[in-house]
Amino acid sequence: MKRLLFILSLCVSTLSFAQKTYSVNGESLKLDTEVEGTLNLLWTSVNGQFRYFIKTEDNAVTELKNTKGNNNKY
Protein backbone atom coordinates (compact mmCIF):
# COMPACT_ATOMS: atom_id res chain seq x y z
CA MET A 1 0.00 0.00 0.00
CA LYS A 2 2.82 2.39 0.85
CA ARG A 3 4.49 1.66 -2.49
CA LEU A 4 1.28 2.44 -4.34
CA LEU A 5 0.92 5.77 -2.55
CA PHE A 6 4.56 6.59 -3.26
CA ILE A 7 4.18 5.80 -6.97
CA LEU A 8 0.96 7.82 -7.21
CA SER A 9 2.58 10.81 -5.49
CA LEU A 10 5.49 10.64 -7.96
CA CYS A 11 3.08 10.59 -10.89
CA VAL A 12 1.16 13.60 -9.58
CA SER A 13 4.33 15.59 -8.89
CA THR A 14 5.71 14.75 -12.35
CA LEU A 15 2.52 15.89 -14.06
CA SER A 16 2.65 19.25 -12.31
CA PHE A 17 5.91 20.07 -14.12
CA ALA A 18 4.49 19.54 -17.60
CA GLN A 19 5.27 21.90 -20.41
CA LYS A 20 2.76 24.54 -21.44
CA THR A 21 2.34 25.92 -24.93
CA TYR A 22 2.80 29.67 -25.38
CA SER A 23 2.56 31.91 -28.43
CA VAL A 24 5.57 34.23 -28.72
CA ASN A 25 5.78 36.57 -31.74
CA GLY A 26 3.52 34.27 -33.75
CA GLU A 27 5.60 31.19 -32.87
CA SER A 28 3.98 28.39 -30.84
CA LEU A 29 6.47 27.05 -28.27
CA LYS A 30 6.31 24.46 -25.50
CA LEU A 31 8.06 26.09 -22.55
CA ASP A 32 9.11 24.75 -19.16
CA THR A 33 8.81 26.96 -16.07
CA GLU A 34 12.11 27.18 -14.20
CA VAL A 35 11.26 29.89 -11.64
CA GLU A 36 7.85 31.19 -10.54
CA GLY A 37 7.29 34.57 -8.94
CA THR A 38 6.44 38.13 -9.95
CA LEU A 39 8.33 37.31 -13.14
CA ASN A 40 8.42 33.69 -14.30
CA LEU A 41 11.51 32.34 -16.06
CA LEU A 42 10.59 29.98 -18.90
CA TRP A 43 12.91 28.01 -21.18
CA THR A 44 13.08 25.58 -24.05
CA SER A 45 15.75 23.78 -26.03
CA VAL A 46 15.42 23.61 -29.82
CA ASN A 47 18.12 21.86 -31.87
CA GLY A 48 20.59 22.12 -28.98
CA GLN A 49 20.01 25.88 -28.59
CA PHE A 50 18.57 27.07 -25.29
CA ARG A 51 16.05 29.90 -25.41
CA TYR A 52 14.86 31.80 -22.34
CA PHE A 53 11.69 33.82 -21.78
CA ILE A 54 10.11 36.00 -19.10
CA LYS A 55 6.38 35.84 -18.31
CA THR A 56 4.93 38.80 -16.43
CA GLU A 57 1.93 38.87 -14.11
CA ASP A 58 -0.32 39.92 -17.02
CA ASN A 59 0.80 36.74 -18.92
CA ALA A 60 2.88 38.63 -21.51
CA VAL A 61 5.79 36.42 -22.66
CA THR A 62 8.99 38.05 -23.92
CA GLU A 63 12.09 36.28 -25.21
CA LEU A 64 15.40 37.20 -23.60
CA LYS A 65 18.01 37.81 -26.30
CA ASN A 66 21.73 38.29 -26.01
CA THR A 67 22.59 41.02 -28.50
CA LYS A 68 25.76 42.93 -29.36
CA GLY A 69 25.88 46.69 -29.68
CA ASN A 70 27.91 48.67 -32.20
CA ASN A 71 30.89 48.55 -29.80
CA ASN A 72 30.85 44.69 -29.86
CA LYS A 73 29.78 44.57 -26.22
CA TYR A 74 26.74 42.70 -24.97
Side-chain angles (χ1 to χ4, degrees):
M1 184 66 165
K2 288 182 181 181
R3 284 186 181 178
L4 178 62
L5 289 174
F6 177 72
I7 291 171
L8 287 175
S9 66
L10 280 176
C11 290
V12 170
S13 65
T14 303
L15 292 175
S16 67
F17 293 109
Q19 295 177 335
K20 292 184 182 177
T21 302
Y22 296 91
S23 179
V24 181
N25 297 329
E27 185 179 8
S28 182
L29 298 167
K30 290 186 178 181
L31 303 175
D32 290 304
T33 301
E34 188 66 29
V35 178
E36 289 185 3
T38 305
L39 295 174
N40 294 346
L41 177 63
L42 310 170
W43 68 275
T44 190
S45 176
V46 179
N47 296 329
Q49 298 291 321
F50 287 93
R51 295 172 66 185
Y52 298 94
F53 302 83
I54 292 291
K55 183 175 95 171
T56 60
E57 289 180 324
D58 63 351
N59 293 323
V61 178
T62 305
E63 185 171 7
L64 300 174
K65 294 186 178 184
N66 194 8
T67 58
K68 276 188 184 181
N70 292 334
N71 57 2
N72 285 332
K73 291 187 178 180
Y74 292 97

